Every structure is written in C-alpha cells, then in structure tokens.
Amino acid sequence: MIITELPHKEQALFRSALKLYETRQYKKGLKISDQILKKFPNHGETLAVKGMFLTHLDRKDEGYEMIERGLKINPQSVIGWQVYGIVCRNDQKLAQAVKCYEEALKANMDNMQVLRELGTLLMQEGQFARVAEVRERMVRLNPTFPPSWMGLAVAHHMNGRYDLALKAISTHEPGPSDPALDKYQTSELLLYKNWLLELNGEYQRALDHLKEIRPQITDVTAWKEQKAKLLLKVDRKEAAATAYQDLIERNAENDEYIVGYLACNGLDIKRAEDQDAAIEVIDSLRQQFPTSNRLRFLPLTFSSGDNFVNAAKTLVKYALRKGIPSLFSSTKVLYADAAKGAALGKLVEGFAAQLRDTKRLCDSTDDEPASVLMWCNHYLAQHYDYYGGHERALVIIEEAIRSSPSTVEPYMVKAKILKHAGDLQAARDTMDYARQLDLKDRYINAKCVKYMLRNNEVDEAEKTFIMFVSDDSPHKVQDIVNFQGIWYLCERAHAFRRLGDIGRALKHYHEVISTFDTYRLDQLDFHAYSVRKATLRSYVGILQWESTVYNHPIYRDAAQAAIECYMELVDRKAAGKPFVPIVHQTDAKPLTRNGSSQQGQHNLSAGIGEAKVFDVDKDPNGAGFVDSDNLASALKLAEQLESGASASPATHVTAFEVHMRMHKYFLALKTINALKAIDAEHPALPSMVLRLTQALDTDESFAAPLKAPLKAQIAKAFGEVSAATSAERSLEAMLAVTRGMLALGGNNVAQARALLMQAPEDKYASGRMLEQLLDARRLLVQSGATEDELAAFGTGAKKAFPLATCF
C-alpha cells in the first residue's frame, strides 16, 4: 500500500532522521530510515531520504536509485525533490539540481526554502534574469526579510538594470533605528545604494545622498573614494582635487587616486599634449610624498623622450641605491615600447660606466657603495638577456657574482639566462646553488623546483618541494594537491608529457583543472552569506570575477595541454599504436592522520561519530584518463574553454582539433568563424579551412545533403586559400602554418618540412625563442625528417643559440 503521510510516531522518527543528516550522522540516519521503511516500505519521502544517506556512505548508485524510486511513488513530494536537489548539488550537478528545485516548486509555489536554494543555484549558474524572478516571489512572500530584497537588487544589478536594483533597495531598506541590520551592514547597504545611483547616471543625487549618509558609514576610505569620484563627475574639480589630495595622503601608492588628481587638473595621461603638465603635477606630489614608489614609476608609463629619461633616472638611481632586486621586473612592462627599453639600457650602462670610472653617480658627491655597481650589472644582465644577448648577459652577471658571491639574486638571474640560452642542466644547477645559499627561503626553493621540472627531474623536484610541507604531514605529496599549488602541478604535468608519460601528465592536468572548478564551486556557499552580511559591493565583484575563472593563463595552459594529450591518444589508437600506461610502484595502504595504515581511525572533522582515513590514490599512473572516452573528455574541456576563454585564439584552434576528430563539421566551422572574428589574419586559419574542406570531400559518413550548404558557407566566407599563407610573417606564424599542413598530409608534408628547416635562419631571428626552435624540431620529427635533415637543423639551431645543449 502506498501512503503519503506517516503516523505520528513515524513522523517523529522521520524528523529525527533529517536532523541526523544536518549533523552528518549518516549511519544513524540510515538506520532510522530503515526502521520506518520496515513498516511502510512504499513511503516515497523516506525512500528519498534513505537514498540521500546512502550517497554519503559511498553507495551513490544505490542512493540515486532509491531517490528516483521514492519520487516515482510520490512525484508531488516537495521533500523528495528537495532531497534529489541536495544530492545533485553535493555532486556538483548544478543544472540537474536546478531542475529538481523547479519540480519542487510545482508542488508548492510558496516554499521559501526551495525558492532560496533555487535562487542560489541560478546565481551560481549566472542565470540572473531567472534569479530576479525567483527573488521577486520571495520578496512578495516575505518583504521584511533583508536577504530577499538584497538578493533581488543584486540580480537586477547583474542584469544591468540599475534602476530596478535601486527600486528594490529604496523600497525595502530599513530606517536608521531599525534593528534588522547592525551598523556595519547598514554602512555596506548605504554605500551599495550610492554606487547604484552612480551607475544609473544620477551623479548629483548620489553626491547628495553620500553627504546624508556620512554619519552611518563605517568604511571611511570607501566613502572618501566615492566622494572624490562623484565630485569629479559633477565637474566640481576644485573640491574633487581636495578630496583626492586627502586620499593620496592616506595611500600614495594608489594609481586611481593619482590619476583622479590629475583629472581634477584637467590632465589625461593618455593625451600626449598633457605630458609635460602631468609630470609637473606628479613632481609636486612627489615632493609631498617622497617615499611613494608609484609617483616615481607612473611618469614612465606615459612619458617619452627627455621626459622619460629624466623620470627613469629618478627611479633607477633610487632603486640601485636601495638595492631593489625587482627593478628589472618592475620596468619590464615598459620594454613593449622598443624606444623605452633601449633608453633604460643606455641609462643603466651609463651609470655602470660612471661607477667604474669614478665610483660615483652623476649627482653624488660621495663614493657609492660597491653594491650599487653590482645592482647595475644585475639589471644589465637581464636587459641583454631580454634582447637575446645571452653570452654578453652571462659575462655581466658573472661580474656581479664576483663582486658579491653571497648574494642570492645574481645566481637566480644567471640561471634564468642559461635557461633562455638553452642549457637547462646548467640553469638547474645554478638555481640549486642559489637555493642552498638560503635554505629557509620558500621563494628560491620554489624557483629551483620549477627549474628541476623544466629539466624533467620530477622526483628530485618533488623531494625539494616537500621540504616546505609540514613535517607531521603523513601524505606530503597529496598535500601538494590539497594546497592547490597549480603552478607546480602544471609544470609537473608538462615534465611527464615531455617524458612520454601521457597518463600521469593527464592526471596532473586534471588536478589543475579540478582546482579551478573548486575555486568556482567554493563560491556556492557565499551567495547566502554575502546577502546575509549585506556585503553587496564585494558580492557583485565576486560574481563578476566568477565569469573570468576559466580565462586564467594556467587553466588555459592545462586544459589545452590536456586536450592535446587526448588528441595524441586518439591518433595513436587510429594508427594502431595505442599508448600503454607506464606503471609505477606505489604503497597501496591508506594513511590516516597520524600516519598509521590502520583502517577506521576517527577524524571528527568528517562529522560526529564518523570515521575517515586518508584516501588511497587508486590511479597513480593516470590509467583511468588514458582508458576513458578520450574524445568525450577532450570535448568537455574544449566546451569549457569556449565558454570561459573565448577571447583566446588558441581556444578555437584547440576546439577545432576536437570537432574535426569527432566529425562535427558544423562545430568546426563555428570555431573557424570565431577565430576569424578575433584575428582575421591568424596563420592557422587557411589550413583549418582547407582541412575542413578536405574532410567534407572524403568523409562518406557525413550526410550528403548537408555537404553542399556547408561548403557554400566556407567558400563565401573564405574564398580561395593557401596553406602557406602568412608563413613568412614570423616564426610563430610559420609554426602554426606547418602544423596545419602536416595535418592536411599529402604533398603538404614535404612543403611543411622545407619551411621548418628554415626556422634557424636569420630571417626569423627577431624575437625568436628557444621553445619555438624546439617546437620546430618536434614538427620535423613528426614530418618524417631524415637524420641528416635533423642534424642540419641542429647545426643551424646551435648557431642561433650557441649555448644550447638540447639540439
């Protein structure tokens, strides 16, 4: 018999089971659920709750089956759908969880708990229009509950409807004496409202409101910043200048304050005609705030000619005398302008000559310390290394080392120069020597680890890295993953890939990828927290940041490399030479917190009365990734890149490779069009178009009626193309062209090989990097080059990089 409502005694047991779930006592909750089901085996809600407990006890499949069985019995159960939503949310199936909560609302449109959960999930998924609808309903049901109308305001804000967000805040905000919000929450809410007024273009009203709320504001700096901006926007420049002057006194390192102060004086650093006046104003500020580094550096970003040289003198002399090792790193951004890079090099060369001749700089009356010349050489070595003068850079840095053999930084620069010159072993040894000069320095330890990984010394790098992991940690290697050291995991993956261990490379790439998934999913718990605490300005910032998570350079690097690994696995299977995972010995015993391998020791952080042991790495060699559906895995990553990193050309080149191997030609054309929209002259475009056309001609499995319209689209968009187009533009362009030509096959392979043989020639000397020549050699091997051709290539490469040991 099917029942929908339990008797009084069993209802009490059911409620106690739900409380046990909240306290994470899953085994006890399961026991109580079974007790109810003995009497009422067809009670749908109890079946669903039992399934929820099972999913937390490593019986997920059984748990899902139980929940679905319960919903089949009682499809109108709000609790059943809520339970299903909770389980899906826990398993990060957010889209499915949204559907579950929507089903729950069909049974009860006014359930606040379901509405709250649904609103949170929709916010996490970025569906702000739907969030606004849900929040509107929550406000109608409980208009005095602050998180409801605050959440509604944020939803309208993210939709760009600042007027509606203002209306939501203005309608429901409590009065000054209302106990609903404390003074900090009130301050945050009022500043957020003022920001909305500004975004809505009501500058004078925002300024009046800002004066009115001053007594209630606790974040004084934010209030002052808003006041300065608004005064400038209403064209009260004199008052705005006073406000910005006050802010600079509080923090003279803030670019926004300095640029705002210049704007009050009618100056824009982007306008060439304002250059002299802007420098004059900044000089006056520097006299008031002589310790400000930004006031010294900012003129370098917009000045030119003599103004640039004078500003550079001020900055460089200060840094050399202070012994600031990061001087070159700070000014490297200026080297994008060739004239500025040359001027900086000439300036420091002049200082070095003065110090060698007179031991003084141009404005000094006393001899400078010997360290000033050392820091000059430290800078100049990096300067010449930047322009590819590795041999000259090594001579200069050796002089710096001789003058101060106990200083760590010159050895680090020497290692960097050797790395760029192609001697990875010497670079690694030099960086390790620098590390041993200061064994307590975490930064130099990390740099040494990176150089070891670049030299494919995976085990030695691991031993060095874990020196800074806690001594009482029972599983130091796993701790590295838990620490989310993504740079290390990515470099380690690259090393395994170079060593030919695709399985372990994929394992580490996915550890990086899952870390970024964690970054985003961690925000799930903060949606409710942010509106509860009324930190709405920060909350909006977090929501805007979420959309950029997957555009991080390390994520793109890891995801694209993982896709390339999957493509290699697919190609090797197609060629009848499948990759076999390389087996490494590992200890199969699980480690507990105290290092014991005994089972069942309690870890109270896992929940009341629940035992937890450290998980065993069941796939240390990455065999699971190798044996998975490689194309499906690659497609998932490609779709994530297309969603989160669509502005990167490499995203669409990589996605094209996946779609072509899956014979999804319309999607392949979509990636070509997306790449063309970003860069119509991208060197990979011609070969991508030719490969797609060739596939349509030869693939008999593709529906014939669809070929003609697809070819017509290609012809209309691109016309006649040649694979060798753009090869002469740069070495990077030539490499992109040859990759496409090798994929096309046939006569294109010989043409690609001829182009690759030209990589070491002088015509590609400008901006050429060692990694590009290594890529060219790998492509030569792929093209079937003979030993003589590879030897000739190596001879040419050695002329370009005489110190390199990798050819």
Side-chain angles (χ1 to χ4, degrees), residues 611-738:
K612 182 177 177 67
V613 294
F614 282 92
D615 294 331
V616 180
D617 187 351
K618 297 178 181 178
D619 186 17
N621 307 311
F625 297 105
V626 174
D627 297 335
S628 67
D629 185 339
N630 300 148
L631 283 175
S633 300
L635 179 63
K636 183 178 178 181
L637 292 175
E639 288 173 344
Q640 184 62 73
L641 283 172
E642 288 178 303
S643 172
S646 59
S648 170
T651 290
H652 304 291
V653 174
T654 307
F656 174 82
E657 297 295 335
V658 179
H659 297 320
M660 287 296 290
R661 285 168 176 80
M662 298 185 77
H663 307 289
K664 295 185 176 182
Y665 300 128
F666 280 101
L667 290 178
L669 179 59
K670 182 181 176 182
T671 62
I672 292 174
N673 288 330
L675 179 59
K676 182 183 178 183
I678 298 170
D679 181 4
E681 301 297 323
H682 195 282
L685 268 175
S687 59
M688 290 167 69
V689 172
L690 289 172
R691 286 176 63 191
L692 179 55
T693 304
Q694 183 185 77
L696 290 171
D697 289 337
T698 58
D699 189 350
E700 296 181 358
S701 64
F702 188 68
L706 298 177
K707 288 186 178 182
L710 192 52
K711 284 185 177 181
Q713 289 185 46
I714 297 170
K716 182 179 179 181
F718 300 98
E720 292 291 329
V721 295
S722 169
T725 303
S726 305
E728 298 295 323
R729 190 167 34 165
S730 67
L731 181 54
E732 189 61 36
M734 186 268 279
L735 292 174
V737 167
T738 52

Side-chain angles (χ1 to χ4, degrees), residues 38-309:
K38 281 182 181 178
K39 290 186 178 181
F40 304 100
N42 292 321
H43 185 244
E45 292 180 346
T46 304
L47 286 167
V49 170
K50 178 182 178 180
M52 180 171 63
F53 286 121
L54 289 171
T55 61
H56 285 276
L57 295 170
D58 295 328
R59 297 162 67 181
K60 282 189 183 293
D61 291 341
E62 187 180 349
Y64 273 101
E65 184 181 344
M66 193 70 67
I67 293 169
E68 290 167 1
R69 180 181 160 197
L71 286 170
K72 188 174 181 179
I73 292 172
N74 187 359
Q76 302 301 316
S77 169
V78 175
I79 292 178
W81 284 111
Q82 273 187 276
V83 165
Y84 202 0
I86 289 169
V87 171
C88 290
R89 171 178 164 156
N90 290 342
D91 288 342
Q92 302 174 10
K93 302 175 182 177
L94 301 189
Q96 182 64 30
V98 167
K99 293 178 182 178
C100 293
Y101 285 114
E102 288 175 338
E103 288 294 330
L105 284 179
K106 290 179 182 178
N108 184 352
M109 295 282 289
D110 298 335
N111 189 307
M112 281 292 289
Q113 186 177 0
V114 173
L115 287 168
R116 186 163 54 249
E117 288 294 329
L118 178 58
T120 297
L121 290 171
L122 290 171
M123 190 70 85
Q124 178 73 15
E125 292 289 273
Q127 301 181 36
F128 301 119
R130 295 178 65 191
V131 175
E133 296 174 6
V134 172
R135 297 293 186 188
E136 287 275 14
R137 191 181 304 169
M138 291 176 67
V139 171
R140 285 197 297 270
L141 291 172
N142 190 355
T144 61
F145 186 54
S148 296
W149 49 264
M150 287 185 197
L152 175 61
V154 172
H156 285 315
H157 185 150
M158 297 305 295
N159 280 321
R161 293 300 307 272
Y162 308 124
D163 54 334
L164 295 180
L166 265 172
K167 182 180 178 182
I169 294 289
S170 301
T171 303
H172 301 284
E173 65 178 317
S177 59
D178 196 309
L181 302 175
D182 62 30
K183 64 178 182 179
Y184 301 106
Q185 292 171 316
T186 300
S187 173
E188 283 293 318
L189 182 62
L190 292 172
L191 285 171
Y192 177 64
K193 180 180 178 180
N194 192 268
W195 185 28
L196 288 174
L197 287 167
E198 179 195 358
L199 292 173
N200 204 39
E202 303 178 56
Y203 303 134
Q204 186 58 54
R205 183 183 168 195
L207 187 58
D208 295 338
H209 176 258
L210 198 66
K211 294 176 182 177
E212 179 186 328
I213 65 176
R214 176 63 185 88
Q216 297 169 265
I217 299 302
T218 58
D219 189 347
V220 178
T221 300
W223 186 88
K224 287 177 177 287
E225 289 175 347
Q226 189 70 355
K227 177 185 175 183
K229 284 194 296 183
L230 290 171
L231 284 169
L232 186 57
K233 286 185 177 180
V234 298
D235 206 30
R236 292 175 55 185
K237 293 183 178 179
E238 187 174 340
T242 302
Y244 274 115
Q245 176 85 18
D246 182 31
L247 286 168
I248 294 171
E249 289 176 3
R250 297 170 73 91
N251 180 9
E253 303 296 337
N254 190 308
D255 278 356
E256 185 180 337
Y257 299 167
I258 300 168
V259 172
Y261 185 78
L262 291 171
C264 295
N265 290 275
L267 302 172
D268 184 349
I269 61 175
K270 296 179 181 178
R271 289 201 302 258
E273 59 269 25
D274 290 347
Q275 184 182 128
D276 292 338
I279 290 174
E280 186 178 338
V281 172
I282 290 174
D283 285 342
S284 69
L285 286 173
R286 195 168 67 245
Q287 291 175 8
Q288 299 175 57
F289 310 102
T291 61
S292 171
N293 290 319
R294 294 307 299 170
L295 287 170
R296 271 187 289 270
F297 182 79
L298 188 60
L300 297 174
T301 62
F302 64 86
S303 61
S304 59
D306 291 340
N307 286 333
F308 176 82
V309 173

Side-chain angles (χ1 to χ4, degrees), residues 408-409 411-413 415 430-452 464 468 487:
V408 172
E409 285 79 11
Y411 292 99
M412 296 176 66
V413 169
T430 304
M431 191 63 79
D432 192 42
Y433 183 84
R435 178 184 69 85
Q436 294 180 47
L437 290 175
D438 189 355
L439 293 173
K440 294 183 180 180
D441 191 318
R442 188 187 296 266
Y443 174 75
I444 183 63
N445 185 79
K447 291 294 289 185
C448 184
V449 167
K450 189 172 183 179
Y451 275 60
M452 288 175 174
T464 306
F468 280 88
W487 70 266

